Amino acid sequence: MDIDLNRANAELLGWDALGRMSWAAETFGAGVVLLSSMQKTSSVLMHLLHRLGLGNEILFVDTGFHFHETLALRDECMRRYKLNIRTLYPEHTPEQQEERFGCKLYRTTDGQPICCDLRKGKPFIDHMVTMGRTAVFGGLRRAEGGARGRLGVIVADPRFGGYRVHPIVDWDDAAVDAYLSEHQVPTHPLHGRCYPSVGCQCCTTAVRPGEDARAGRWRHVREGDGTGPVYCGINFSDGSGI
């Protein structure tokens, strides 16, 4: 399906999040899925999907390195909202991967992006291609800054020949928190323990006072010259896909 991105973005920018999700569901049918990391914005999107009564797939990639709180939240959302959450897994277990490469990839600057791709990106893309999915809801927002500051409501993702839809692209942190509070949506408990951004346990630390919200991600490979990753790459919109 070919979408006129300029036209679609001009129209959708004036709609609310529910309207944007409804449009995508009507446009892509069962081909649109939701990619959930179980962070705050994912909780918002899962609840919006629930409110719309949509049974579309919600994809959760179990890297084998998640905090137990992340897995517990996945299970709670499935029980509470009867969501169609499908858990995807990497080809190899963490132990098999370490044996294959002779090291723990996530511990090194060169190995970290390989680890993220094998354990997060590849299972997601493989599923999209194999199942013929054509669009994915994501929780990226312009308020997060960087490349995300230029996001459209819908962008192309050539990795699976489809599109990424950002229903809450124009929400700020206050809007996210207000929604979660108003609807009493369960959220990741680590957000209340100085973890504004939560990924794999081995690559996520708490954020210190005054630090950027993503300072806790891959801190161990940025120590030294201070350069290194702040995004894993599973969201094509973080790079050249905007």
Side-chain angles (χ1 to χ4, degrees), residues 10-233:
E11 180 178 2
L12 292 171
L13 194 58
W15 294 17
D16 64 12
L18 281 170
R20 293 165 182 167
M21 294 188 82
S22 295
W23 173 88
E26 293 173 4
T27 302
F28 300 105
V32 62
V33 302
L34 193 163
L35 179 62
S36 176
S37 63
M38 298 299 153
Q39 300 188 72
K40 277 186 180 182
T41 52
S42 294
S43 292
V44 169
L45 293 180
M46 289 190 293
H47 189 263
L48 289 170
L49 206 68
H50 165 70
R51 286 176 62 189
L52 290 169
L54 297 175
N56 294 62
E57 280 185 335
I58 298 173
L59 305 180
F60 172 76
V61 184
D62 187 348
T63 64
F65 291 117
H66 281 302
F67 290 92
H68 70 84
E69 291 93 341
T70 304
L71 303 178
L73 180 59
R74 173 200 59 186
D75 296 344
E76 180 180 357
C77 289
M78 290 176 66
R79 288 192 298 267
R80 181 179 297 200
Y81 300 120
K82 312 301 184 199
L83 298 173
N84 180 22
I85 298 179
R86 178 164 183 171
T87 300
L88 307 180
Y89 299 93
E91 180 180 359
H92 298 108
T93 66
E95 294 77 17
Q96 289 170 334
Q97 179 175 291
E98 182 176 350
E99 182 178 357
R100 175 187 174 190
F101 289 92
C103 67
K104 296 183 186 297
L105 289 173
Y106 62 83
R107 287 184 173 176
T108 68
T109 302
D110 292 335
Q112 177 272 327
I114 299 174
C115 188
C116 279
D117 181 57
L118 291 175
R119 310 208 69 78
K120 296 174 74 173
K122 192 174 187 302
F124 164 64
I125 297 300
D126 285 351
H127 180 83
M128 295 294 287
V129 173
T130 301
M131 301 302 294
R133 303 307 185 212
T134 50
V136 56
F137 292 121
L140 305 190
R141 298 171 297 121
R142 291 176 177 172
E144 295 173 286
R148 298 182 181 185
R150 305 188 301 276
L151 274 176
V153 177
I154 179 170
V155 302
D157 192 330
R159 296 177 302 174
F160 57 86
Y163 301 91
R164 303 192 75 99
V165 182
H166 309 116
I168 58 172
V169 67
D170 47 2
W171 289 27
D172 58 15
D173 291 346
V176 171
D177 289 339
Y179 182 93
L180 295 170
S181 176
E182 177 184 356
H183 297 280
Q184 299 184 333
V185 181
T187 59
H188 203 301
L190 290 183
H191 288 318
R193 303 177 202 164
C194 300
Y195 287 80
S197 179
V198 183
C200 292
Q201 186 171 8
C202 56
C203 296
T204 308
T205 61
V207 170
R208 302 159 187 152
E211 286 189 318
D212 180 80
R214 295 192 68 87
R217 302 294 294 274
W218 304 286
R219 187 190 298 277
H220 61 290
V221 296
R222 289 201 310 275
E223 290 179 345
D225 62 7
T227 63
V230 291
Y231 299 112
C232 66

